[in-house]
Amino acid sequence: MRSFFRMSVVCAAAAALLFGSAAAAEPVFTIYVPVISGAEARAVLPDGREFSLGTVRDLPTATRWPGYTASKWAAPGTVAASAVNAVHLTLSVEKDAGRTMSILPLHTVAPAAGAKAFLTLDVPAGTGFFGGWAPPVGTPVKVRKNDGRTVPLAENGLPSSGDVMIFEVSEAERPYIVDMENRPGGRVIGWYPSGPKVLARVIRPVKGSGRFGGTEFQGPGRIRANHSGVIDVSTAARGVVGGFQVLPFLHSKSKEMGGAWQLTQWLIIASETVDPLPGTAPLFAGNFLPGSQLSDALWNMWSTYGRKPLALCRIDGGPWRKFPEGAGRQDHVFDRVTHIRIYSPFTREPLSE
């Protein structure tokens, strides 16, 4: 199996020349998920080091269509959602709805995954592929066929038994801090090595915590999920449900999010331009990850620390501090939160240009 993955590195590099773009460059690491029950999923660094991400169990035999609403805002053949309890892939977009398949930890709660439309890895939720090694939203997925050809997932459709899914995780320009002023009209600011940039404006501030499924697999002040239409932050201890969500305005008006304007658990933001936010970097693609926790072992100390996003807040405009705990539904637990910060470096401390 090890020789198989070393050969995969060479094949992936050749495929990158064929299918890649200027934005892809050399991946920081590459993930191989064989569609073979009992095979090992692995992450491989450019220097050949390999890390186990668990053993494949259940295999997908179907796709889900229509998928959850935001799956249509992900590019076909890419990661549509990266979470502690699931990684969803958009295979195609048909009749304004995403067709999806999912990769799940063995024991999880993932309503967005369709029946028989998932592959499972025998690892705890929130670790490995669902933690520090999670591929960001927008990561392109390729499929290596039994005959040795490598094709984009968008062309392949549902992988067949014996195929290998390949995730090439690259590091694009991204803010290492995102600050949100929790008030109507407040700025959403991305801090880049070159300086700050206003990314969006707050339309409706968050005031309370809610019972968002999957937050029980994450710790407080951590990212539970990021997809093309949400940033989900856990505010309760692992094992306890509780958190809040950041939504783009367009998604807040969808049928799926009908309660977002009546309840207090959502921070709704809008673009300052005519360009919609769903599915775009850095808020709804490419930036936020569940992060390393529990038994995750990444390739060095900084990566383990850097791939562990933290959500902080300011109370009544005071100093930055940890989020107050919000377990279950508490409609006014965050009434005094005036600012929210997500510290999310990728693999190294940001440097000034």
Side-chain angles (χ1 to χ4, degrees):
M1 183 62 73
R2 287 187 178 274
S3 60
F4 163 81
F5 282 103
R6 290 195 180 96
M7 185 179 298
S8 298
V9 175
V10 176
C11 293
L17 292 175
L18 183 59
F19 298 109
S21 65
E26 183 180 5
V28 177
F29 58 87
T30 303
I31 294 170
Y32 299 90
V33 181
V35 188
I36 304 169
S37 183
E40 187 178 34
R42 300 187 74 82
V44 181
L45 299 181
D47 64 9
R49 282 181 292 164
E50 302 175 5
F51 296 80
S52 176
L53 300 182
T55 302
V56 174
R57 297 302 183 193
D58 302 289
L59 302 183
T61 57
T63 59
R64 179 175 184 177
W65 187 89
Y68 63 95
T69 298
S71 63
K72 68 181 180 182
W73 293 315
T78 68
V79 173
S82 190
V84 293
N85 55 323
V87 171
H88 302 300
L89 313 178
T90 291
L91 281 69
S92 60
V93 179
E94 306 165 25
K95 299 180 181 179
D96 200 37
R99 182 178 296 278
T100 64
M101 66 161 288
S102 306
I103 302 176
L104 308 178
L106 199 56
H107 302 290
T108 190
V109 177
K116 300 182 180 180
F118 59 85
L119 176 150
T120 57
L121 297 175
D122 64 350
V123 295
T127 68
F129 190 72
F130 313 98
W133 293 100
V137 173
T139 299
V141 186
K142 300 170 185 173
V143 178
R144 193 167 73 229
K145 311 296 293 180
N146 281 321
D147 60 10
R149 292 179 302 120
T150 300
V151 298
L153 179 67
E155 294 181 8
N156 185 84
L158 182 69
S160 302
S161 179
D163 290 347
V164 179
M165 289 186 286
I166 302 172
F167 301 74
E168 295 181 341
V169 178
S170 300
E171 183 170 12
E173 182 184 26
R174 60 202 301 279
Y176 57 94
I177 289 175
V178 172
D179 284 339
M180 306 179 191
E181 298 171 336
N182 192 36
R183 58 177 176 80
R187 297 169 299 174
V188 179
I189 303 172
W191 292 90
Y192 294 81
S194 57
K197 178 182 178 181
V198 176
L199 306 174
R201 290 279 179 172
V202 174
I203 303 299
R204 180 179 172 86
V206 66
K207 298 294 183 181
S209 64
R211 301 185 184 96
F212 296 109
T215 50
E216 67 267 37
F217 302 118
Q218 183 59 290
R222 302 284 304 280
I223 300 295
R224 194 283 298 184
N226 184 206
H227 67 54
S228 42
V230 81
I231 304 167
D232 192 350
V233 179
S234 171
T235 57
R238 187 176 171 92
V240 180
V241 175
F244 69 90
Q245 294 188 341
V246 181
L247 289 182
F249 177 77
L250 184 61
H251 193 20
S252 75
K253 305 299 288 185
S254 67
K255 292 182 180 180
E256 191 175 273
M257 304 307 303
W261 290 90
Q262 286 74 46
L263 302 175
T264 65
Q265 288 77 25
W266 286 273
L267 178 73
I268 301 174
I269 63 176
S271 172
E272 287 196 307
T273 71
V274 296
D275 298 324
L277 290 174
T280 63
L283 300 174
F284 301 105
N287 200 27
F288 301 116
L289 297 167
S292 58
Q293 57 174 307
L294 299 181
S295 59
D296 277 349
L298 305 188
W299 57 97
N300 59 33
M301 184 184 303
W302 166 249
S303 295
T304 301
Y305 169 67
R307 289 179 69 81
K308 186 176 181 177
L310 300 174
L312 305 171
C313 72
R314 294 170 65 186
I315 304 295
D316 297 329
W320 291 106
R321 49 157 287 176
K322 294 181 179 179
F323 249 92
E325 184 172 344
R329 179 175 171 179
Q330 299 186 57
D331 291 340
H332 299 284
V333 69
F334 303 137
D335 276 354
R336 295 172 58 201
V337 171
T338 54
H339 299 76
I340 296 169
R341 166 171 286 182
I342 301 177
Y343 175 63
S344 180
F346 196 76
T347 59
R348 60 183 182 274
E349 189 69 58
L351 302 175
S352 299
E353 292 184 345

